[in-house]
Amino acid sequence: MWHPEGRMRNRLFLSMPFALVLCACAPLPSERGIAIAPPDPSASVSDAWPDGQPGEPVAAAVFAQINEDRAREGLPGVAWDPKAAELATSYTREQIREGTIGHFLLDGVPPYARLSRAGDLGIGAENAVAYISMGDRIEDAPLTLALRGEHEMLAERPPADGHRRAILDPAATHVGVGWTLSGADFRMAEEFTSRRYARLDVSPISRYASAIRVRGQALPGMDIAYVSVARQPSPSPITRTEANSRHSYAYPDPRYALLPAASPVAAAGLASRKCLVPSLHGRFSFDYQIDEPGLWTFVLYFRRKGEREPAPGGSFTIRVASPPDSAAS
């Protein structure tokens, strides 16, 4: 049996202090010949602070073990994330169907885009476990395999301790766990998420083919600081060999920063667009016109009152594609 290595590392993009003030922002000029394609917010996507308990026994045992492991290190427990758990279950099922391991399926979609497509808008960190028997079936029970995977990840030592750091990440607020056992294959995924918002809504602006409107409410005692915007090429199908060789991933580097209109600073090394609208009591909003095909990822940074540096606490990814007839237009 075999247990692969891999997890993502979040990147913190900016760290500048600035005041939050009211401002106005209109969408940027639209570029013709592009349209939002699945996964997309063609219907409004809303995510709120989840809570509850897992109903499936194996996932419940791993969830309890995660919080025991965190408590042993003096960390607060994470809450249950039903959307992330549903995603983890479907993902592990697809892994076995495709014969893949790690963080990618054959569609090439990165884990953070997969999480966003499921309607979970937290910052994600994924742990993936695989056990593969050389025989026709795995004799161990799913609970035994799942807890073994958790114990092996927690036993990692630097520098090869990415799974352990995901489990013990102080910024994590939630986790969803899913697993699949079929014949000689077992897969488990732990989808950790970090939220600093009570609610986050992403909606289309009907007047524009690829414009979005974002509205949200920060957690009590927090305010939004800025939003980073990254673009990368749309994912293409990959081979099984390519999927199985990608043992880690990272959020893409940003190309823009969205700041409050009256911000006295610019983003270091990034083009800045002052179109973020913070208001009283932690509410915020912004509109954004996407002007180029690709996979667009927005990361929201929040600052707790008295906190010097903002931290990522929300994210969503949108795919924008050229319509089939755009090349002829």
Side-chain angles (χ1 to χ4, degrees), residues 13-16 18 25 28 225-229 254-276 288:
F13 302 126
L14 306 170
S15 58
M16 317 88 62
F18 47 78
C25 175
L28 303 172
Y226 57 85
V227 178
S228 71
V229 183
R255 63 190 300 180
Y256 305 118
L258 308 184
L259 307 177
S263 172
V265 300
L270 292 177
S272 299
R273 297 179 177 178
K274 296 184 178 182
C275 63
L276 182 59
Y288 194 90

Side-chain angles (χ1 to χ4, degrees), residues 54-66 80 85 143 146 176-179:
E56 195 281 315
V58 174
V62 176
F63 176 60
Q65 186 62 54
I66 287 170
W80 184 247
L143 178 59
V177 178
W179 63 275

